[in-house]
Each structure stands twice: as structure tokens, then as C-alpha cells.
Amino acid sequence: MKIMKILLVLLSLAAGITTLLAEADGLRLDFYEQSCPNAEKIVMSQVQNILAQPQFQNAPAQLLRLLFHDCFIEGCDASVLLTDTNGTSVVERQAIPNRTLKGFEFIDMIKEELEKECPGVVSCSDIMVLATRNCILLSGGPYYPVYTGRRDNNQSFFSEALSDIPRPNGKIFEALHLFSLRGFNTRETVALLGAHNIGRISCQFILPRLGTNFLDEGSADSTLRDGFIEEIKLKCQKSNSSFSNTESLKLMIGRGLLFADQQLMANEETARIVEEYTLDDGTVFRRDFARAMVKMSNLVSLTGSQGQVRLNCSVALKSS
């Protein structure tokens, strides 16, 4: 009984620390309670509408990846949504790691409804964070609190996106280093790297493992079993094909689809965490993933009077 009480106290302290950190950064729960009371209800309603459409069943994975690529570069500021409207500059969306990003239309759909309710109030960055959490939750993933109050950036960061997004064919030490620079420990990194298992992976990220430019050696990745190599080839012969990747256990038997997946088993510490996840009923991973997502969502660069609230998520407001 005493142990249970101690655990409850520790959990409460942890939750309190997370809240204080978020509020210290200018974020808080129900930020739009006064300025747009129905904001979060509208986001949830729109996400439900999106997921109800068969052609949008991969929306959770698309939004999760979109949010990750945004927050990883200069914080969650919706800079990844910006387009080159005048044809004279380069933006994050044009960087190689971002060229396959999808889900932009979902943010636009939600923003359109919010603008009808509360013009110029809810930021695109808050929409991204809320919509991603709701998609994960409605797809059977864990709930986690979302603090709001972010502002949108009027700049885009092409060079940073090009160099700082972890590569699908990157070594594990590279990913661990890039995540650590943003305050994530090894356990949190493994949980976030495992997040793409909820979706489908484009064959263009898998084919290099079959010998085409794989580490510039021209031979198939030796960590893949022959039978799985043939399975990938057959699946990827069709244009625009993708591969389902839903079992983290595949990592442990040489079937991790992305090179970065298999790399998780090449490091003693990350391999131990993956093994822990595979032996559990999913509770530990869900807990770790939820905590890591709170941390990811709170990577914020702009709050208060900083930045802006865009009216169109792909176009920055002109400076007055």
C-alpha cells in the first residue's frame, strides 16, 4: 500500500513538472478557452470526419510524420507548412527529407473550419499538434495532454531540414545524437523511432536495402533474410507501393524495413529497449511513446507576441 502511494506521488510530481515546464514556455492547457471556446472540439470533429473517409486511413501516420519533421526543426512552429509563394526562395517542404511528407490538406481542412468560428485566433502549429494527438488516439493509440498557445513562424528553414532530420538509412548513433541535441534520452528516442509502425512505408525508402546505392556497395543489406528480400522486391515492383510495418518484433529477426529500424538492434542499449517492448503487452511502449510525444510537442520556439497566427497555413502573413 505504501509503495502504491509513493508511486502515485511520483507520478503526480512528474505530471506537475511537465505542466510547469510547458507553462514556463508560454503553453498551457485550454489556451483557447476564452478566445475560441470550441477550438479543440472543432479539431476533434474534423479529425473524426477525416478518419471516417476510406481514402484517409493513413492520416495518423502522415500527420505524425508531418509533426515530427516540423517540431524537429526550430520547434513546433508550422514552418514545414510554408510554400514558396513567389518562386524566389527555398522552404522546408523542398528539402529532401520532406519531399515525401503528406497530410498538409488535413491541416488546411481543419484551419478552414476554425477560421469560420474564430478568425485569426488558432495557430496552424497548435492545429498540427492537436490533430496529430487526436488521430493517434482515435486510431487506438495512447492519450496524452496537449498544451496550446504556439505561434506560427514567418520563416522556413531549408538548410536545417536538409541536415538535421534523421535519415531513413542513417546509423543509430546519428539518430541518437540528433535526438539528444533536442533533449531526448535513448528511451524516448526509441519510442519515437518506433512510431512509424502505425503506418505504411514508401518503397523508395526500402529499395536501397536491396542493393541500389546501399552504402555505395551495390549489394543487399546482409541483415535482411533472403526470403524477406524477395518479399520486398515483389511488393515494390508495383509503382507507388508501400509496405505495412506493424510488428516491432520484426526488428529482432532481421525484418526491420528501414535501415534505421534494424540499427536499433545494432546498439546494445536500444536493442534492450526494443526487446522490452516486444516482451510486453504494449503498455510500456504506449507509456513511453505518450511521454515522448508530450516532450516533442513542447519543443516550442514562439509563444506570446512572437511569431504570428496565419490565416492560410501555407502562407506567412506579410509584415506590417
Side-chain angles (χ1 to χ4, degrees):
M1 193 68 179
K2 288 183 178 179
I3 294 177
M4 182 60 70
K5 289 182 177 179
I6 292 173
L7 287 174
L8 288 173
V9 170
L10 290 174
L11 286 171
S12 297
L13 287 172
I17 291 171
T18 302
T19 301
L20 287 172
L21 288 174
E23 291 183 346
D25 286 334
L27 303 180
R28 61 182 174 84
L29 293 174
D30 298 321
F31 179 84
Y32 300 104
E33 185 178 14
Q34 300 297 324
S35 58
C36 190
N38 293 321
E40 295 196 20
K41 291 181 181 178
I42 291 172
V43 176
M44 176 60 85
S45 176
Q46 287 300 300
V47 168
Q48 289 173 327
N49 291 339
I50 290 167
L51 293 179
Q53 301 180 54
Q55 69 271 31
F56 295 148
Q57 290 307 297
N58 209 28
Q62 292 172 357
L63 283 174
L64 181 57
R65 186 164 178 253
L66 186 62
L67 180 69
F68 167 72
H69 282 234
D70 183 58
C71 296
F72 217 70
I73 304 300
E74 300 297 325
C76 308
D77 60 0
S79 56
V80 76
L81 302 181
L82 290 171
T83 56
D84 179 17
T85 55
N86 54 21
T88 60
S89 60
V90 289
V91 293
E92 285 176 49
R93 286 171 74 157
Q94 297 171 332
I96 292 175
N98 292 338
R99 289 179 184 175
T100 56
L101 289 177
K102 298 179 181 179
F104 297 99
E105 71 273 27
F106 304 139
I107 305 302
D108 291 337
M109 291 164 60
I110 297 170
K111 178 64 170 175
E112 184 178 352
E113 291 303 310
L114 284 167
E115 285 301 302
K116 294 176 184 177
E117 179 82 8
C118 312
V121 174
V122 183
S123 68
C124 299
S125 45
D126 273 343
I127 292 173
M128 289 180 67
V129 175
L130 286 166
T132 301
R133 189 277 308 275
N134 293 346
C135 258
I136 291 170
L137 180 64
L138 293 174
S139 299
Y143 170 85
Y144 57 89
V146 167
Y147 300 90
T148 44
R150 297 165 190 78
R151 302 272 288 183
D152 302 326
N153 212 319
N154 62 353
Q155 301 180 66
S156 195
F157 305 93
F158 174 85
S159 298
E160 290 83 350
L162 197 61
S163 62
D164 290 356
I165 297 290
R167 298 176 297 130
N169 63 340
K171 293 293 186 73
I172 186 60
F173 71 84
E174 296 172 350
L176 290 173
H177 174 67
L178 288 171
F179 275 89
S180 69
L181 291 177
R182 289 151 180 84
F184 294 95
N185 61 32
T186 301
R187 191 174 194 87
E188 292 164 339
T189 300
V190 173
L192 289 172
L193 287 177
H196 68 69
N197 289 324
I198 70 171
R200 301 178 72 81
I201 300 169
S202 173
C203 281
Q204 67 175 293
F205 294 124
I206 307 169
L207 287 174
R209 302 196 68 191
L210 307 184
T212 305
N213 296 323
F214 181 71
L215 296 182
D216 300 320
E217 294 177 359
S219 58
D221 184 354
S222 60
T223 63
L224 288 174
R225 292 185 176 180
D226 292 340
F228 193 40
I229 291 175
E230 294 306 314
E231 187 179 339
I232 295 175
K233 285 181 178 179
L234 288 172
K235 178 67 177 178
C236 289
Q237 282 176 352
K238 299 178 180 179
S239 60
N240 298 320
S241 289
S242 57
F243 238 85
S244 179
N245 184 23
T246 57
E247 301 174 33
S248 59
L249 184 59
K250 291 178 181 177
L251 298 174
M252 302 176 67
I253 57 175
R255 290 171 64 92
L257 289 174
L258 297 181
F259 181 61
D261 276 343
Q262 198 62 44
Q263 281 286 294
L264 288 173
M265 299 309 297
N267 175 282
E268 183 177 349
E269 185 177 4
T270 57
R272 185 170 62 249
I273 296 170
V274 172
E275 289 170 358
E276 183 181 348
Y277 288 157
T278 60
L279 294 173
D280 182 65
D281 62 359
T283 301
V284 176
F285 173 77
R286 290 167 67 87
R287 179 202 66 196
D288 289 351
F289 175 68
R291 290 175 177 174
M293 283 303 295
V294 171
K295 194 169 185 176
M296 174 69 73
S297 301
N298 288 345
L299 293 177
V300 176
S301 59
L302 302 172
T303 57
S305 60
Q306 301 170 319
Q308 57 186 221
V309 175
R310 295 180 210 145
L311 304 180
N312 179 334
C313 287
S314 63
V315 181
L317 297 176
K318 293 183 179 180
S319 301
S320 55

